[in-house]
Amino acid sequence: MSIDINKEVSKGTVEQRMVYESGNEMAAYAAHQINYHVMGYFPISPSTEVAQFLDLMKANGQHDIKLIPADGEHGSAGICYGASTAGGRVFNATSANGYLYMLEQMPVQSGTRFPMVMNLVCRSVSGPLNIHGDHSDLYYALNTGWPILMCRDPQAVYDMNIMAIKLAEDPEVRLPVIVASDGYFTSHQKRRVQTFAKREDVHAFVGEAPQNFPHVLDRNNPITVGPYMNEPDYINNCYQQSEAMYRAGEVFDRIQKEYEQLTGREYPILDLYRMEDAEVAVFLMNSSSEIIKDVVDQLREQGIKAGSIAPNMIRPFPAKQIAEALKNVKAVTIGDRADSYGAHGGNMSLEIRAALFTAGYTDTQVISRVYGLGGKDFYAEDGHAFFQMAIDAMNAGKVDVPFDYYGHTAGDPNKKPMRVIEPMKYEDLNTGLITVNKDEETGQLKVKVPPIRQLTKKPKRLAPGHGACPGCGIFSGLELFFKGIEGDIVALFHTGCAMVVTTGYPYSSHKATYIHNLFQSGAATLSGVVEMFWERKRRGELDHLNLPADFTFVMITGDGGMDIGMGPAIGAALRNHKMIILEYDNEGYMNTGAQLSYSTPLGHRTSTSNVGKHQGGKLFHHKDTPQIMAATNIPYVFTGSESLPQDLLKKAAKAQYYAQNEGLVYGKILITCPLNWLSEEQIGQTLIDEAVNSCFFPMYEIENGVTTITYNPEDKNKRIPVGDWLKNMGKTKHLTKPEYADALQSFENEVERRWSRLKARHENAYL
């Protein structure tokens, strides 16, 4: 992070300096100054950068935080909860569906009163998939028992993170705290930000982590964390938690006043702007609340008594303060950046109405509008429109439309998505050139595939025109696999590069039926489709479709999808549904910016396994997914690559046979990612060849538990050292330097160990 060495004179008493950074950078910067003990994390846009910045600082030796990459957000929440029960300071950051995936852990942590700080970088919740900013994830947090601090700009992100840990650990509170900022508005917006110049001043303000509370590492005081609890104890526990939440408002007010003395910056519970004599007002949260202040000034110049309200804290909800601020206001427009579907208003509208009613201030006209969903910008003219609604209500003495959306457009039948490509004909997809027959005596499959040139007329399953990066190996790899599949398919794609670049509404590159679901639910979702197909077929409900043959059901995963999606994939395998799981392995979470995944090999550079004086890339070995899936005893497991096209075609044909006749199939193909491998586009095929010939990515199949190596580079005299592959990629060329010799040796040893075990299994059917 770039630091201006010129210190700025502030209004406070502590030495400060100016930086020019984004909200995500300031969350990371505050965390590194606090020097938390542990951060459990999982990448999801737009919060991913927080972990990235911390990892980069870790590689440079700037903090001691133990960064733990989880298998998914649910796992990251568990890591953080476990770490907090062990008595240290804990930090996390997440967004949107990632937050919802960890949601069941949130009340556990608050209900057992273990503090931590989590940055919620607010983003729209799928579906359909949208990665831009609104408050739909934030509103799920309202009932979890976590105090919630709000950040309107990067300065507030920094300041609130410093105050949040002090609030969480206060003996009157002892609750985990959320720091909420707007995704892509605040998270990626660079602004001038004042920070503490010295880490010791941060520590002096925050104080030492409290030592007088129970934790699980005190052998002289064994405790039970999270016991089963009946009534009346459970209601009493909830009452105590509720009381702590309300005290959090008072404690935060005390903390922010202390902070103001040090820094000159104040964060009252409510940010009131020109509300002293306001007759009309607008309530907005976070980034939009700064824009509305300019509108207030413009209206004041016109003689209109306008004002604005923005909360710096929404849990506990400042009901009394809001009611007091609005008691003389004749009309207020409340903007919610998320809907509470079916409740006739967003959450803030409902809670403000309740606050006014409870306080007896029932003369204020309230207009509720849902706005800015999915990252839709909010401009000054939108602010004028919000005020005009309030002015109209004030003049009329009533609200004509109490609740509505703002900024949406009416549907136009003339602009409905049109079919551009006609459905593929079964006759074209079923070439008859590929045959698979089972030898009844031996049980072995006899597969016949033609030279690939004879399949060139077979239609591609994906149309050209997608938005993949130049040199991306996903689609050439998928199309080669699909060449080996005869007839119709139904494909489910996990979230990931392959999904994102092919389905930007209203366009789609998919020529066959396509379904999308999230990483953690894909295998379960497709298994439901599969079983519905067979059940409806059994009942005769599909007879009218005159299907010439059965569908082949294929789930496409990649970009770390077999990390967060591993559990459901194993569940589907154990149930043995008739489907194929095909993983394209690009060795990272590429769709969110090249973070490490469990398929990233040891020592490889990613944005969360940086290379520096104190760190040399990823710290642990890659997951052997085919062997994990083979352990579930599914009928067929294989690896494949474009470097051996006939081999992959034959395996695709086998996969289809097993998926239609016996059960679940898992396959893994290695594909290139020039952008994030930091390699030249034109050497993609060479890199795949070298990965195979170095035995890093061996070619084999496992049929009903029997392993067969389908390509042995040693037999062909093509075996090369692993280093010959690594030196051609920017993400790994550091491993060939003398200072990383130990890491390279460890990586080579692991590759050789796995290859030797594979050869042993090839030679012995019982292994």
Side-chain angles (χ1 to χ4, degrees), residues 468-491:
C469 301
C472 173
I474 293 175
F475 299 104
S476 58
L478 291 183
E479 286 291 7
L480 179 57
F481 176 80
F482 286 146
K483 290 291 185 188
I485 301 291
E486 296 278 79
D488 294 313
I489 66 168
V490 172

Side-chain angles (χ1 to χ4, degrees), residues 37 89 165-166 169 202-212:
H37 292 86
R89 284 178 167 158
I165 187 62
K166 189 175 180 71
E169 293 177 346
V202 175
H203 290 181
F205 172 74
V206 171
E208 295 294 328
Q211 301 299 315
N212 55 337

Side-chain angles (χ1 to χ4, degrees), residues 686-737:
T686 300
L687 291 176
I688 296 298
D689 290 344
E690 291 173 344
V692 172
N693 286 325
S694 68
C695 296
F696 163 75
F697 199 86
M699 296 291 101
Y700 66 97
E701 61 187 3
I702 305 173
E703 292 185 77
N704 293 307
V706 178
T707 299
T708 303
I709 294 174
T710 59
Y711 171 75
N712 188 332
E714 294 174 341
D715 293 344
K716 305 288 185 180
N717 293 320
K718 290 186 177 182
R719 177 80 188 266
I720 64 171
V722 173
D724 287 359
W725 170 54
L726 300 177
K727 68 183 181 183
N728 292 319
M729 296 178 287
K731 68 165 183 167
T732 54
K733 63 183 180 181
H734 65 278
L735 288 171
T736 62
K737 296 179 180 179

Side-chain angles (χ1 to χ4, degrees), residues 59-101:
N60 294 329
Q62 293 176 255
H63 64 77
D64 301 317
I65 304 171
K66 177 68 175 178
L67 301 172
I68 305 176
D71 60 326
E73 289 88 358
H74 198 273
S76 77
I79 290 168
C80 290
Y81 180 56
S84 64
T85 68
R89 284 178 167 158
V90 183
F91 182 72
N92 200 355
T94 193
S95 299
N97 292 72
Y99 179 70
L100 266 62
Y101 189 31

Side-chain angles (χ1 to χ4, degrees), residues 224-287:
T224 298
V225 175
Y228 175 75
M229 189 177 284
N230 279 320
E231 48 76 28
D233 302 298
Y234 182 75
I235 194 172
N236 290 342
N237 189 85
C238 294
Y239 173 76
Q240 293 170 19
Q241 182 182 346
S242 175
E243 290 293 292
M245 174 66 86
Y246 291 117
R247 289 195 299 270
E250 301 168 4
V251 172
F252 174 76
D253 195 46
R254 166 170 55 79
I255 290 173
Q256 70 90 13
K257 288 175 181 175
E258 296 173 15
Y259 197 78
E260 181 188 4
Q261 292 295 315
L262 288 175
T263 66
R265 296 184 293 279
E266 63 174 333
Y267 291 91
I269 300 292
L270 288 183
D271 180 13
L272 303 177
Y273 188 69
R274 306 189 78 166
M275 285 295 296
E276 299 83 2
D277 61 343
E279 294 182 334
V280 289
V282 168
F283 176 97
L284 293 170
M285 296 196 300
N286 278 6
S287 56

Side-chain angles (χ1 to χ4, degrees), residues 286-531:
N286 278 6
S287 56
S288 299
S289 68
E290 290 298 282
I291 298 169
I292 206 69
K293 291 178 180 177
D294 293 333
V295 178
V296 169
D297 292 338
Q298 293 165 10
L299 293 175
R300 285 280 178 171
E301 290 175 2
Q302 300 172 23
I304 298 171
K305 294 181 178 180
S308 69
I309 303 174
N312 284 315
M313 190 178 208
I314 60 170
R315 279 296 182 270
F317 188 70
K320 291 181 180 179
Q321 296 96 319
I322 286 176
E324 191 65 23
L326 291 173
K327 68 178 181 180
N328 296 318
V329 172
K330 296 178 181 177
V332 58
T333 301
I334 301 164
D336 275 292
R337 217 162 195 152
D339 194 358
S340 180
Y341 296 108
H344 304 285
N347 288 90
M348 292 300 104
S349 299
L350 301 174
E351 296 193 11
I352 290 172
R353 283 194 180 109
L356 288 169
F357 181 84
T358 301
Y361 303 142
T362 56
D363 293 333
T364 302
Q365 303 292 329
V366 178
I367 304 103
S368 170
R369 292 295 182 267
V370 172
Y371 79 102
L373 303 187
K376 186 173 177 60
D377 287 317
F378 184 81
Y379 298 108
E381 51 264 38
D382 301 314
H384 279 285
F386 274 25
F387 269 110
Q388 191 59 52
M389 296 174 198
I391 293 169
D392 292 344
M394 175 181 68
N395 293 335
K398 65 184 181 69
V399 179
D400 290 330
V401 183
F403 167 67
D404 200 357
Y405 273 53
Y406 172 82
H408 59 298
T409 55
D412 184 348
N414 296 320
K415 294 182 179 179
K416 67 180 181 180
M418 304 295 292
R419 180 171 297 283
V420 177
I421 301 173
E422 290 302 313
M424 294 175 289
K425 296 180 179 179
Y426 178 80
E427 295 76 14
D428 295 333
L429 293 169
N430 188 36
T431 65
L433 299 174
I434 300 171
T435 60
V436 182
N437 296 294
K438 190 171 186 177
D439 188 315
E440 297 301 327
E441 292 185 7
T442 65
Q444 298 297 308
L445 295 186
K446 295 182 178 180
V447 183
K448 181 181 178 181
V449 297
I452 193 169
R453 64 180 178 275
Q454 294 186 28
L455 297 173
T456 54
K457 291 184 179 180
K458 192 172 187 177
K460 290 186 176 182
R461 310 278 182 170
L462 289 155
H466 54 70
C469 301
C472 173
I474 293 175
F475 299 104
S476 58
L478 291 183
E479 286 291 7
L480 179 57
F481 176 80
F482 286 146
K483 290 291 185 188
I485 301 291
E486 296 278 79
D488 294 313
I489 66 168
V490 172
L492 181 143
F493 279 59
H494 270 171
T495 308
C497 289
M499 173 265 165
V500 171
V501 303
T502 57
T503 58
Y505 185 83
Y507 304 105
S508 175
S509 298
H510 295 270
K511 295 160 68 176
T513 296
Y514 156 94
I515 308 167
H516 163 251
N517 206 350
L518 307 171
F519 285 123
Q520 61 269 31
S521 302
T525 301
L526 189 60
S527 68
V529 176
V530 169
E531 295 308 319

